[in-house]
Amino acid sequence: MPWDDLHDPKGSRESRSGNDPKGGGPASGGGPQFEIPQIKIPNFRPSSFLGIVSILLAVWLLPSIFFTVQPDEVGVITRFGKFIRQEGPGLHVKFPSPIEHAKTPKVLKVRRAEIGFRILSSGPPQKVRDVPAESLMLTGDQNIVDIDMVVQYQIRDASAYLFNISNPSKLVRNASETALRGIIGSKKIDEALTTGKNEIQILAKDLIQQLLDKYESGIQIVTTQLQDVHPPEQVAAAFKDVVSAREDKERMINQAQGYRKAVIPETRGK
């Protein structure tokens, strides 16, 4: 018995049955035969291809052509990075990106800058951080006073606001600190602590606006408000003693004048 018959009896029987290629029968391989499936590629017509391209272009272009400006905004249009025009509220059309871009800053929003302090969280309880480098100022009579101020501002010229300055909040804060230091340096500490607060606020608003206009920032100052004016913590107790002494002085003077006005007419009458 051949060794091939032991390992592959089916093959040996097929060989004996006349399926050997030498015997003229059909040839058989060593395993099953597979047929490769044929993949049918659909035929695209030029019209359908153009339709798909048109849809893709529309999806890409339409959002970049139309833009909306809200009632509290101004549309600023740039073409290849150069300012072209401004648009008011409503629906507008522009060239698609990257030819033209539209920015819509909120010109009616009132922004604020804090000088001498920072509000860390507005929720109760409010957390406030003091900034001594900004708040400590020297008065005209060589005293140190601690001042906190809030400046509120709006956008007056949107194009100048976007393109002439890089950091609007920092510019407003620096201009406010500079103006306030100049005003406090010309005032006595009594004016800063008591009667001169209103005048300081008015002068600060005008001087800050002048500085911002010099830089062509496009910013309009709305209000300036002194939040807190007090002597430094290291000498606060001494200042309280001085204020108390002045109050006692005024009280004693008023009492003396009252006594004088009461006694002298009575004496003259007698």
Side-chain angles (χ1 to χ4, degrees), residues 41 45 52 96 116 156 177 188 205 255 267:
I41 301 176
R45 296 179 181 179
I52 294 174
R156 181 175 60 188
E177 183 183 350
K188 294 184 178 180
K205 179 181 177 182
Q255 289 177 353
T267 303

Side-chain angles (χ1 to χ4, degrees), residues 1 35 64 82 91 121 145 201 228 240 265:
M1 177 184 293
E35 294 184 359
S64 62
K82 182 180 179 181
L91 182 64
S121 63
V145 64
Q201 291 179 159
D228 189 15
K240 288 182 180 179

Side-chain angles (χ1 to χ4, degrees), residues 153-223:
Y153 62 97
Q154 288 178 318
I155 299 176
R156 181 175 60 188
D157 187 343
S159 60
Y161 180 83
L162 292 175
F163 305 122
N164 291 351
I165 55 178
S166 60
N167 194 334
S169 60
K170 184 177 181 180
L171 175 62
V172 173
R173 189 179 296 115
N174 291 342
S176 301
E177 183 183 350
T178 301
L180 188 58
R181 287 186 183 278
I183 296 170
I184 295 299
S186 63
K187 301 289 182 181
K188 294 184 178 180
I189 190 169
D190 292 338
E191 296 180 81
L193 293 175
T194 56
T195 60
K197 291 183 179 180
N198 190 37
E199 182 184 1
I200 291 173
Q201 291 179 159
I202 297 173
L203 293 174
K205 179 181 177 182
D206 295 338
L207 187 54
I208 294 169
Q209 189 65 63
Q210 293 177 13
L211 293 174
L212 295 176
D213 293 342
K214 182 178 179 181
Y215 289 106
E216 298 180 356
S217 62
I219 294 175
Q220 178 68 43
I221 298 298
V222 179
T223 59

Side-chain angles (χ1 to χ4, degrees), residues 89-117:
L91 182 64
H92 302 280
V93 181
K94 66 178 182 63
F95 287 111
S97 302
I99 300 175
E100 287 186 349
H101 292 275
K103 295 182 178 180
T104 56
K106 294 185 178 296
V107 295
L108 298 182
K109 178 181 178 181
V110 178
R111 298 165 171 83
R112 57 179 281 159
E114 299 158 352
I115 294 87
F117 71 104

Side-chain angles (χ1 to χ4, degrees), residues 42-92:
N43 296 325
F44 288 98
R45 296 179 181 179
S47 59
S48 61
F49 179 75
L50 292 176
I52 294 174
V53 173
S54 301
I55 293 174
L56 293 177
L57 288 175
V59 172
W60 174 60
L61 290 177
L62 287 179
S64 62
I65 290 177
F66 297 97
F67 67 98
T68 303
V69 180
Q70 300 299 327
D72 61 339
E73 298 175 342
V74 168
V76 180
I77 312 302
T78 57
R79 183 177 300 165
F80 297 115
K82 182 180 179 181
F83 170 71
I84 299 298
R85 66 185 185 277
Q86 291 187 2
E87 299 288 356
L91 182 64
H92 302 280

Side-chain angles (χ1 to χ4, degrees), residues 125-143:
Q126 189 180 58
K127 294 182 180 180
V128 179
R129 177 173 62 87
D130 190 27
V131 185
E134 295 178 0
S135 61
L136 295 178
M137 301 182 184
L138 188 65
T139 62
D141 53 357
Q142 303 299 313
N143 286 294

